[in-house]
């Protein structure tokens, strides 16, 4: 009996529970369906589409080498998969479980459609360590604060060991599908031409990243992870986002390295896990603040300010370096993500959803749960949000985490000749660099305006209560 293996956010062969289960039933038909309509506004952004193109190419080659070519389809999975199951007489479709609201809705409808024909959709835990609905507080409620959540996960003990990749996959009869290029994934605007210098999409690239993030890097991780001018982080986020490596593989690899920084690193892995926990229980998170009173926050949308931020032309080198790194590489250092996000929502009073949307389109690791949870954290409206009075000073952040200016010199060449003492505040130099803008808002003024807006909201919330 043929079994369909539906690849989604698990584009790998090793530690793939859906693949492992499908192999127990006989011949396997691997399929990937590009279903943009179901995802709606949260269909893959431009940078993600670039990554997906090459990740599917790598997965297709790996599957073909094991005897089971990847079938590529485009359109409604809710319509295509039941027809495919009927054509090959498959009694089950195995897939890694998804957690996005639109995907949950589609899977429920697909389950009913298949059941009506005597077939099954069989979901597997593939992209997380634990299912969100199974983790509860002592009061039998979902976790809403990260620290207790992470402690609870650590208390559960070690996750199951990863499943090895199969050497051979018995293939079902071939079915008509599309060539990879016919999916139209590569964006027409070729801003991504520099991406291949920084990334190798696919399972082999993920394995190489994980191996390169060896014991020495892990040992230094707690002290060096906030230094954007150094290669001090794992770079695994896009590989995790597309499931080219599993959280279990990352967890056990970190443990095997035996370095002192493993606990700090695994806590970062669990922030991703926590984000999915929030998304499962609060599906409105990508669009609406988790704290309802923030729906009345006095944002001041201004296209000119948003564009300056997007283009890395704010006049603050650490902010501009981050935004330019994002545009050229599809990625930004995590410390800098917090700085640029704080600058947008607090100094400029632009809605956090505008920043979320820009990140979604330009990040190769654009992940709906982590992106939304992190933006809400910075904006102060999330479940486990930063205090409203925390307004990152972009000058002090640069001086603290990029003291010699290595990061900003790389991405903001206009200021590269300045001495360390003024590189993060070039307007104070005896000769400010030509061609580089003055700050679009003075830090003190921006901070005061943000604090006043947050304080007014808090007072209004108190009166309502």
């Amino acid at each position: 009996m043929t079994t369909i293996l539906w690849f989604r956010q698990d584009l790998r062969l090793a530690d793939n529970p859906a693949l492992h289960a499908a192999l127990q039933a006989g011949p396997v038909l691997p399929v990937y369906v590009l279903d943009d309509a179901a995802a709606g506004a949260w269909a893959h952004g431009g940078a993600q589409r670039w990554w997906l193109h090459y990740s599917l190419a790598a997965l297709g080659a790996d599957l073909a080498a094991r005897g089971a070519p990847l079938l590529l389809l485009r359109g409604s999975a809710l319509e295509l998969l039941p027809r495919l199951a009927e054509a090959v007489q498959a009694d089950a479709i195995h897939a890694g479980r998804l957690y996005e609201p639109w995907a949950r809705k589609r899977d429920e409808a697909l389950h009913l459609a298949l059941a009506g024909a005597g077939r099954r959709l069989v979901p597997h835990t593939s992209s997380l360590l634990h299912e969100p609905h199974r983790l509860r507080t002592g009061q039998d409620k979902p976790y809403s604060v990260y620290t207790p959540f992470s402690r609870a996960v650590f208390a559960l003990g070690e996750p199951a060991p990863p499943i090895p990749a199969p050497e051979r996959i018995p293939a079902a009869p071939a079915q008509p599908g599309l060539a990879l290029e016919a999916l139209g994934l590569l964006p027409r605007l070729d801003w991504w031409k520099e991406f291949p210098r920084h990334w190798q999409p696919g399972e082999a690239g993920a394995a190489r990243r994980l191996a390169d993030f060896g014991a020495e890097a892990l040992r230094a991780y707690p002290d060096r992870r906030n230094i954007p001018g150094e290669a001090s982080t794992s770079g695994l986020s896009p590989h995790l986002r597309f499931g080219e490596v599993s959280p279990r593989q990352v967890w056990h690899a970190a443990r095997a390295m035996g370095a002192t920084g493993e606990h700090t690193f695994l806590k970062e892995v669990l922030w991703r896990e926590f984000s999915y926990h929030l998304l499962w229980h609060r599906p409105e998170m990508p669009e609406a603040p988790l704290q309802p009173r923030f729906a009345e926050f006095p944002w001041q949308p201004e296209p000119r300010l948003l564009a300056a931020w997007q283009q890395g032309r704010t006049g603050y080198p650490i902010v501009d370096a981050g935004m330019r790194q994002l545009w050229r590489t599809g990625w930004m250092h995590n410390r800098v993500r917090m700085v640029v996000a704080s600058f947008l929502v607090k100094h400029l009073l632009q809605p956090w959803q505008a920043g979320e949307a820009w990140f979604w389109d330009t990040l190769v690791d654009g992940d709906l749960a982590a992106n939304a949870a992190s933006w809400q954290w910075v904006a102060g409206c999330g479940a486990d949000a930063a205090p409203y009075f925390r307004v990152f000073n972009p000058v002090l952040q640069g001086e603290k985490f990029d003291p010699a200016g290595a990061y900003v010199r790389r991405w903001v060449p206009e200021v590269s000749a300045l001495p360390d003492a003024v590189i993060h505040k070039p307007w104070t130099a005896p000769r400010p660099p030509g061609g580089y803008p003055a700050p679009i808002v003075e830090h003190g003024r921006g901070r005061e305006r943000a604090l006043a807006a947050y304080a007014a909201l808090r007072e209004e919330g108190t009166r309502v209560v």
Side-chain angles (χ1 to χ4, degrees):
M1 180 69 73
T2 293
T3 299
I4 294 174
L5 172 61
W6 183 15
F7 281 98
R8 307 201 289 184
Q9 195 176 330
D10 51 359
L11 306 183
R12 65 181 185 274
L13 303 185
D15 199 36
N16 190 322
L19 170 58
H20 181 72
L23 286 171
Q24 312 310 308
V28 175
L29 176 59
V31 60
Y32 182 88
V33 183
L34 182 65
D35 190 355
D36 288 334
W42 300 113
H44 294 102
Q48 295 169 59
R49 294 175 79 86
W50 172 85
W51 189 286
L52 179 59
H53 176 95
Y54 290 103
S55 187
L56 288 174
L59 177 65
D62 291 343
L63 285 166
R66 288 166 171 79
L70 178 63
L71 176 64
L72 296 175
L73 301 175
R74 181 174 188 172
S76 169
L78 185 56
E79 297 175 2
L80 293 171
L81 289 174
R83 291 206 298 262
L84 181 63
E86 175 67 25
V88 301
Q89 288 298 290
D91 67 343
I93 297 176
H94 289 265
R97 184 177 279 108
L98 297 181
Y99 305 92
E100 294 83 356
W102 63 266
R104 292 170 62 182
K105 180 179 179 181
R106 181 187 61 183
D107 284 0
E108 290 169 4
L110 181 59
H111 168 77
L112 293 175
L114 291 171
R119 298 186 169 91
R120 298 174 299 140
L121 174 63
V122 186
H124 300 267
T125 304
S126 182
S127 59
L128 297 179
L129 295 169
H130 304 284
E131 288 298 325
H133 64 275
R134 294 179 181 171
L135 290 170
R136 312 285 291 186
T137 68
Q139 292 73 42
D140 195 33
K141 295 180 179 180
Y143 285 93
S144 60
V145 179
Y146 167 73
T147 299
F149 173 87
S150 64
R151 289 173 179 163
V153 175
F154 278 117
L156 291 174
E158 299 300 284
I163 305 168
E167 294 184 3
R168 296 290 299 172
I169 300 175
Q175 299 296 308
L178 300 174
L180 178 59
E181 290 70 21
L183 295 183
L185 288 168
L186 291 179
R188 293 190 184 93
L189 183 63
D190 64 356
W191 96 97
W192 49 265
K193 290 296 186 181
E194 193 175 329
F195 287 9
R197 290 176 48 193
H198 304 277
W199 305 106
Q200 180 191 349
E203 189 170 8
R208 184 169 292 109
R209 281 274 181 182
L210 186 54
D212 289 345
F213 187 62
E216 184 175 346
L218 190 58
R219 189 174 298 111
Y221 186 80
D223 297 324
R224 310 304 296 176
R225 64 193 172 98
N226 282 314
I227 309 300
E230 299 179 1
S232 53
T233 61
S234 71
L236 287 168
S237 55
H239 299 289
L240 279 165
R241 188 265 178 268
F242 286 94
E244 298 165 350
V245 65
S246 75
R248 290 196 305 201
Q249 289 174 295
V250 173
W251 187 284
H252 284 285
R255 290 295 200 205
M257 291 173 191
T260 54
E262 69 179 58
H263 188 77
T264 302
F265 174 67
L266 292 178
K267 286 174 66 177
E268 298 291 344
V269 174
L270 292 185
W271 171 259
R272 174 182 178 273
E273 193 95 359
F274 179 61
S275 300
Y276 275 93
H277 181 87
L278 291 176
L279 182 64
W280 177 269
H281 294 287
R282 302 290 300 274
E284 74 276 15
M285 185 173 70
E287 285 91 18
L290 295 184
Q291 297 186 38
R293 63 192 178 92
F294 273 83
E296 304 301 322
F297 190 86
W299 303 112
Q300 298 179 21
E302 172 54 63
R304 177 184 61 85
L305 296 178
L306 178 62
W309 178 81
Q310 292 170 334
Q311 297 165 11
R313 300 284 296 171
T314 70
Y316 289 94
I318 192 69
V319 174
D320 295 341
M323 300 307 295
R324 297 183 193 188
Q325 180 188 31
L326 171 61
W327 183 253
R328 289 174 55 185
T329 72
W331 184 86
M332 189 193 304
H333 187 278
N334 189 58
R335 164 57 59 172
V336 185
R337 293 189 196 201
M338 291 190 286
V339 174
V340 304
S342 174
F343 188 84
L344 181 72
V345 300
K346 293 181 175 175
H347 284 81
L348 302 183
L349 288 182
Q350 301 304 293
W352 61 268
Q353 293 95 333
E356 177 193 29
W358 184 252
F359 272 25
W360 181 255
D361 197 41
T362 54
L363 281 170
V364 292
D365 62 2
D367 178 295
L368 188 61
N371 194 32
S374 297
W375 274 98
Q376 292 222 32
W377 181 85
V378 171
C381 58
D384 185 12
Y388 74 88
F389 50 80
R390 180 181 294 165
V391 181
F392 286 120
N393 182 327
V395 174
L396 296 183
Q397 288 287 307
E399 291 174 344
K400 181 177 181 179
F401 297 110
D402 188 35
Y407 181 69
V408 300
R409 291 182 206 281
R410 178 178 182 183
W411 299 110
V412 188
E414 301 98 309
V415 304
S416 60
L418 292 176
D420 298 355
V422 297
I423 196 167
H424 291 290
K425 43 188 176 184
W427 60 91
T428 67
R431 287 189 175 183
Y436 187 67
I440 58 175
V441 62
E442 191 270 326
H443 165 66
R445 169 63 181 145
R447 183 177 186 276
E448 289 176 4
R449 187 174 58 175
L451 293 180
Y454 279 87
L457 183 68
R458 184 179 62 172
E459 292 171 1
E460 180 65 25
T462 301
R463 288 198 294 271
V464 170
V465 172

